[in-house]
């Protein structure tokens, strides 16, 4: 019997839905305290996942869920970069 590979699931901080890890954008707080977008999904630090659509990102920012899950404040520059990243993915 062939082994079935498990697909890692993560929860979007915007819509609170479980989705495949590969479908989501990871935002990471590095050990140095910087908050950045992690395109590889492998950087060390505390991560939060958000769907690649504007509604989810806006919900996550408005409800401060991104800040809570990263335990760090989010600066407007990062918010703008995330919006731009999502705009190219849509």
């Amino acid at each position: 019997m062939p082994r079935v590979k498990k697909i890692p699931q993560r929860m979007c901080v915007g819509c609170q839905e479980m989705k495949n890890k590969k479908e989501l954008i990871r935002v990471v707080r590095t050990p140095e305290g910087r908050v950045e977008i992690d395109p590889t999904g492998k950087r060390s630090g505390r991560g939060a996942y958000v769907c690649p659509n504007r509604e989810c990102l806006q919900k996550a920012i408005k409800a401060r869920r991104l800040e809570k899950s990263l335990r760090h404040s989010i600066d407007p520059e990062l918010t703008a970069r995330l919006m731009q990243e999502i705009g190219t993915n849509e």
Side-chain angles (χ1 to χ4, degrees):
M1 190 165 194
R3 264 178 64 170
V4 178
K5 192 171 182 183
K6 286 189 181 166
I7 299 168
Q9 299 281 301
R10 296 293 182 265
M11 184 184 284
C12 170
V13 291
C15 63
Q16 306 280 292
E17 285 180 29
M18 294 297 282
K19 299 197 176 183
N20 293 345
K21 184 180 172 181
K22 293 236 187 266
E23 295 173 13
L24 302 170
I25 294 172
R26 182 171 189 248
V27 181
V28 65
R29 186 193 76 211
T30 62
E32 297 84 47
R34 291 193 316 269
V35 177
E36 301 170 351
I37 298 169
D38 179 11
T40 63
K42 293 180 177 156
R43 300 206 36 205
S44 66
R46 183 166 188 84
Y49 294 84
V50 67
C51 293
N53 66 50
R54 291 183 189 279
E55 296 81 46
C56 280
L57 181 60
Q58 286 168 339
K59 276 186 204 171
I61 292 165
K62 189 176 179 191
R64 301 177 72 96
R65 288 192 205 118
L66 203 54
E67 291 183 357
K68 286 175 189 159
S69 60
L70 293 174
R71 299 182 190 152
H72 195 279
S73 60
I74 307 293
D75 63 339
E77 182 200 309
L78 179 74
T79 305
R81 251 199 350 249
L82 275 166
M83 284 291 189
Q84 187 179 11
E85 176 89 11
I86 284 169
T88 58
N89 285 357
E90 281 188 321

